[in-house]
Amino acid sequence: MHISVVIPLLNEVESLPGLIARLREVLSALPGKSWELIFVDDGSTDGSIDVIREARDQDPRVRYIRFRRNFGKSDALHAGFAATRGEIVFTMDADLQDDPKEIPRFLELLESEGWDLVSGWKKVRHDPLSKTLPSRLFNRVTSWASGVRLHDFNCGFKCYRRAVVESLDVYGELHRFLPALAHMMGFRVTEMVVEHHARQFGNSKFGLNRFINGFLDLLTVVFTTRYMKKPMHFFGPVSLLFITSGLLINGWLAFAKLMLDQPINGRPLLFLGMLLLIVGVQLLSLGLLGEMLTRQQQSVAYKIGECSADPEDSLEA
């Protein structure tokens, strides 16, 4: 079995020598398993690439990808996943907070119980409250919205089967939701408590804005996975709620005008009723357009599949 370890990094020159040494020690002790390390340098400016090149010169199992500038962790993982050759793929951070000694435990859980993705859970964290408290809130909301009962979506220490890696499309800042994406694709996902160490060198590369972006990305994940093929199920209930509310308000105003002889011009309630009707019709139109586009794509995909089944029929078509 071949194992690939993908390590995205940004300015971790002091941590890299120790991390590489520990990974070599742990991976070399695994019986009957070959391995490779894939470092993705996300625009480092502190000489991290020189340490990686030196390690590559000493051991060809060390590989690297270097970005010209900082593109973000999701792009780094996307590039790393594309370069992997292993049947099992690990991801971990380069700051020495993830301990390579956990790798055999990941493999044991993955192989013994048939999971497709095992995510690390930093049950005891050595981070300031400014990181741990927002992270707990984020994890609870993500767990509720995605249906994946995990305690720590943000942990970068994960183990995947190759089929999962090949199915994931990582972009933007969706690296936080890889377990949720895998679960929504039908893969079996679980978590495992891992040891978490305090950062020894440098500073965290993530600020508080990651939690705001994280909640926005959560909406993207939920919409694209649950409603991509049925957009009317997303827009329809909201549009019907708006249209019904607008009709009730305007109906009451019409009754007040015709039966009670009350003036309605200039009343805020009239503007609210009209606004609800307009927004409701727009949302309903978006849902219908989405359904039309989805149906068109499915029709094209069906025709392509039908033609490609027989080369001669494809040629005639």
Side-chain angles (χ1 to χ4, degrees):
M1 181 180 293
H2 192 66
I3 297 174
S4 299
V5 183
V6 178
I7 308 164
L9 64 108
L10 174 64
N11 295 331
E12 298 288 356
V13 64
E14 297 171 302
S15 303
L16 284 173
L19 176 63
I20 294 172
R22 294 182 191 180
L23 283 169
R24 281 175 173 166
E25 178 182 358
V26 171
L27 293 171
S28 298
L30 296 175
K33 292 180 173 61
S34 58
W35 54 270
E36 65 178 354
L37 305 180
I38 302 177
F39 290 91
V40 185
D41 185 352
D42 191 17
S44 295
T45 58
D46 66 344
S48 295
I49 191 63
D50 297 326
V51 177
I52 298 172
R53 284 171 175 164
E54 182 179 353
R56 191 272 313 269
D57 293 338
Q58 297 175 359
D59 191 338
R61 292 173 295 187
V62 177
R63 304 166 59 200
Y64 72 87
I65 301 170
R66 186 186 186 191
F67 290 169
R68 292 185 178 91
R69 65 171 180 84
N70 177 245
F71 285 92
K73 191 172 184 178
S74 290
D75 287 328
L77 287 175
H78 179 80
F81 286 162
T84 58
R85 298 176 291 197
E87 301 171 29
I88 302 297
V89 178
F90 282 88
T91 60
M92 63 185 305
D93 296 331
D95 53 12
L96 291 178
Q97 293 189 274
D98 298 330
D99 199 325
K101 73 178 183 181
E102 304 284 3
I103 289 178
R105 294 181 55 229
F106 272 104
L107 292 173
E108 181 181 359
L109 182 59
L110 192 77
E111 296 172 2
S112 63
E113 301 187 19
W115 298 102
D116 298 307
L117 191 159
V118 180
S119 181
W121 172 17
K122 297 173 288 189
K123 192 172 184 178
V124 179
R125 292 189 60 173
H126 299 278
D127 287 322
L129 288 177
S130 60
K131 291 184 64 177
T132 57
L133 291 180
S135 182
R136 289 178 183 176
L137 175 61
F138 172 80
N139 287 321
R140 289 185 179 181
V141 173
T142 303
S143 179
W144 169 78
S146 65
V148 188
R149 300 299 178 236
L150 298 184
H151 294 85
D152 191 357
F153 284 85
N154 280 320
C155 181
F157 207 176
K158 295 180 175 65
C159 179
Y160 310 76
R161 294 190 186 275
R162 182 161 192 84
V164 181
V165 169
E166 291 176 343
S167 301
L168 293 173
D169 185 15
V170 193
Y171 62 92
E173 296 188 22
L174 297 185
H175 58 273
R176 304 182 183 93
F177 304 101
L178 296 184
L181 290 170
H183 171 76
M184 293 175 181
M185 292 177 183
F187 293 105
R188 299 186 62 205
V189 178
T190 189
E191 67 181 352
M192 182 187 80
V193 176
V194 296
E195 186 175 358
H196 184 246
H197 299 284
R199 175 180 276 274
Q200 300 179 31
F201 309 102
N203 300 310
S204 173
K205 308 304 186 298
F206 299 99
L208 292 177
N209 62 329
R210 67 170 179 165
F211 296 106
I212 299 175
N213 296 334
F215 285 115
L216 295 176
D217 290 332
L218 177 60
L219 295 177
T220 301
V221 170
V222 172
F223 181 80
T224 56
T225 53
R226 295 185 181 180
Y227 302 104
M228 181 63 76
K229 299 297 184 181
K230 44 185 180 182
M232 183 57 79
H233 289 195
F234 178 82
F235 292 104
V238 181
S239 66
L240 291 178
L241 176 63
F242 278 41
I243 291 174
T244 302
S245 300
L247 289 175
L248 290 175
I249 291 174
N250 289 337
W252 162 251
L253 292 175
F255 175 80
K257 175 65 175 177
L258 297 176
M259 305 301 296
L260 304 179
D261 196 26
Q262 295 180 2
I264 62 172
N265 58 313
R267 294 180 62 176
L269 199 60
L270 175 64
F271 294 105
L272 176 61
M274 296 301 298
L275 178 63
L276 289 173
L277 282 174
I278 294 172
V279 174
V281 171
Q282 288 180 333
L283 291 175
L284 187 65
S285 301
L286 283 176
L288 290 173
L289 288 173
E291 290 288 344
M292 293 171 61
L293 291 173
T294 301
R295 180 63 62 86
Q296 183 181 22
Q297 290 178 349
Q298 290 178 339
S299 177
V300 171
Y302 173 77
K303 291 179 180 179
I304 292 175
E306 190 177 38
C307 291
S308 61
D310 189 332
E312 294 182 359
D313 292 342
S314 299
L315 184 61
E316 292 177 3

